[in-house]
Amino acid sequence: SRAALSLENARRYTAELRTVESLQRSLLPPEGADLGAAESAGSYVPAGTAAGLGGCWYDVIPLSSARVAFVIGDVAGHGLAATATMGRLRTAVQTLADLDLSPEELLTHLDDLVVRLSATEPQPDRADGDGSGGVVGATCLYCVYDPVTGRCVMASAGHPPPVVAGAEGQTHCVDLKPGPALGVSGMPFEPVELHLAPGSVLAFYTNELVAHHQGAGQDQMRLLRTGMDTAMSDHGSPADIGRTLLDHVLTEPPADDVALLVARVRALPEGATAAWRFTADPTVVARARQLATDRLTGWGLEELTFTTELIVSELVTNAVRYAGSPVELRLIRDKTLICEVSDPSQTQPHLRRARLTDEGGRGLFLVAQLAHRWGSRYTASGKTIWTEQPL
């Protein structure tokens, strides 16, 4: 009877471990992503026991204007509750990313969400060692890369900064001061901005990768940088770099699960963008249409001329009529054709259905029907309305 009880306990423990790991993996994105801005590969290493399993995640989110966001985070606690909370936070980050917020603003909104979740859900009793629930103390790092300018901006909520390897092989840790963990404090998050050359590699990781040896954090960081140097010398893919880093650093099974995201950034090819600036004069609308048509002809995209002319005409006309000077038009040829119109107004457009008696109000609706995707975002000097058309 004792042997039978032990076997039953082992069977139930194994089933629980497989359930948590299966749920964790199902909530993570595909391991590889190949975008115009970057090629990335994610790795997830589960803990050896259910006591350390669940809670960390990574994500690669395409943004407007060919940009891309890299996300990595870790939820305090383990087990099914931590895994479910991780899925909720990942969904929240994707929703906030669609609003085109800056990294520090996004983390502020995510911090508010964690505070509300913590106020409405019972927290585990830390004294009994049960970390199977709760979101207070979750960490997250959010990074945005623009392949047109090479500008990279990131902010951290209690998460360690990434390691960067230049195209020539120089490796260093980003000088980013992590803010407080999510749900712990109301302090603001400080962003850091850097310029990345094409071919640079970013390695985002959870804290357990460099802290699973007690008191050996500096040694693990040295191993991480050494592994990055070795991987860069081999000129491997992000997936190869990720495997090399894990082989160098994880010399023994981790007590907690580990997430690693490796991304090699790219720049758009020369001639893939075209930009013009106009004054707020109604006569510039025809010139904007002509310039866009000439550019599409040079790219060999004549089949998109009619729809692009309509989109440019409507967006530039609205900017001239309601926003004022200067009005900027930019076309980007990536995996889609991106059309942007920027103006100094902070008023966001809203899609509405015009009534039969209305003389206006149909322009944005027409743009939404012609484009595959569209949206708007705030900038330092106003706002940008963007559209995407499939090639």
Side-chain angles (χ1 to χ4, degrees):
S1 62
R2 290 182 178 179
L5 182 60
S6 300
L7 287 173
E8 177 64 14
N9 289 340
R11 186 192 66 81
R12 295 178 62 182
Y13 174 82
T14 304
E16 178 185 355
L17 180 64
R18 290 177 177 173
T19 299
V20 176
E21 183 177 345
S22 297
L23 178 61
Q24 175 85 9
R25 291 187 181 277
S26 67
L27 292 175
L28 293 175
E31 293 183 353
D34 190 1
L35 305 174
E39 178 188 6
S40 63
S43 302
Y44 170 71
V45 181
T49 64
L53 194 63
C56 65
W57 87 95
Y58 60 86
D59 212 345
V60 180
I61 307 174
L63 301 177
S64 62
S65 305
R67 298 172 304 144
V68 62
F70 305 110
V71 189
I72 192 162
D74 196 1
V75 175
H78 308 96
L80 284 173
T83 302
T85 300
M86 176 272 288
R88 297 163 73 180
L89 292 184
R90 180 179 172 234
T91 302
V93 171
Q94 288 183 328
T95 303
L96 293 171
D98 197 48
L99 300 176
D100 272 320
L101 301 173
S102 61
E104 66 273 19
E105 287 184 87
L106 184 141
L107 291 180
T108 300
H109 287 286
L110 191 64
D111 182 66
D112 293 338
L113 172 64
V114 170
V115 170
R116 290 197 301 271
L117 290 177
S118 302
T120 57
E121 295 181 357
Q123 295 297 312
D125 185 2
R126 303 294 179 184
D128 62 5
D130 181 13
S132 60
V135 294
V136 173
T139 65
C140 181
L141 187 147
Y142 186 79
C143 172
V144 176
Y145 171 71
D146 187 346
V148 178
T149 62
R151 179 172 175 262
C152 181
V153 185
M154 65 183 72
S156 171
H159 206 86
V163 174
V164 179
E168 293 78 16
Q170 310 91 343
T171 302
H172 67 279
C173 191
V174 176
D175 186 15
L176 172 64
K177 183 179 180 181
L182 298 173
V184 172
S185 171
M187 299 296 292
F189 302 99
E190 297 296 332
V192 64
E193 179 179 335
L194 59 152
H195 185 275
L196 297 179
S200 299
V201 175
L202 290 162
F204 305 90
Y205 55 90
T206 53
N207 191 61
E208 181 59 28
L209 183 63
V210 296
H212 69 280
H213 289 296
Q214 187 69 26
Q218 293 299 324
D219 294 338
Q220 295 302 106
M221 283 301 303
R222 194 177 300 110
L223 282 175
L224 185 63
R225 290 194 294 268
T226 302
M228 181 73 90
D229 292 335
T230 303
M232 290 296 292
S233 64
D234 295 337
H235 303 287
S237 65
D240 296 332
I241 295 174
R243 285 191 291 268
T244 301
L245 291 178
L246 293 176
D247 290 342
H248 269 75
V249 181
L250 285 183
T251 56
E252 60 185 41
D256 289 332
D257 48 358
V258 171
L260 174 68
L261 176 62
V262 178
R264 175 178 282 119
V265 300
R266 299 166 173 164
L268 293 184
E270 185 178 355
T273 62
W276 305 273
R277 175 174 289 196
F278 309 101
T279 58
D281 189 328
T283 60
V284 305
V285 179
R287 175 165 172 75
R289 286 198 302 264
Q290 185 60 47
L291 290 171
T293 299
D294 294 343
R295 184 67 273 175
L296 291 182
T297 302
W299 284 338
L301 300 177
E302 293 87 352
E303 68 276 5
L304 298 178
T305 299
F306 178 72
T307 55
T308 305
E309 277 188 340
L310 287 175
I311 291 173
V312 169
S313 181
E314 291 294 339
L315 295 183
V316 173
T317 299
N318 287 343
V320 169
R321 179 177 297 175
Y322 302 112
S325 300
V327 177
E328 297 181 4
L329 170 64
R330 185 169 72 162
L331 297 179
I332 302 174
R333 180 182 180 180
D334 189 30
K335 295 185 177 181
T336 59
L337 176 64
I338 302 167
C339 176
E340 295 180 349
V341 174
S342 303
D343 59 60
S345 172
Q346 293 282 345
T347 304
Q348 289 280 11
H350 295 284
L351 184 65
R352 68 183 183 90
R353 186 178 296 276
R355 294 170 300 199
L356 294 177
T357 56
D358 290 344
E359 296 184 2
R362 297 175 177 84
L364 196 58
F365 178 79
L366 180 63
V367 169
Q369 298 303 308
L370 294 175
H372 175 64
R373 293 176 63 228
W374 77 278
S376 61
R377 65 176 183 272
Y378 289 112
T379 63
S381 58
K383 72 172 182 298
T384 296
I385 304 177
W386 56 270
T387 65
E388 289 185 7
Q389 302 176 70
L391 300 181

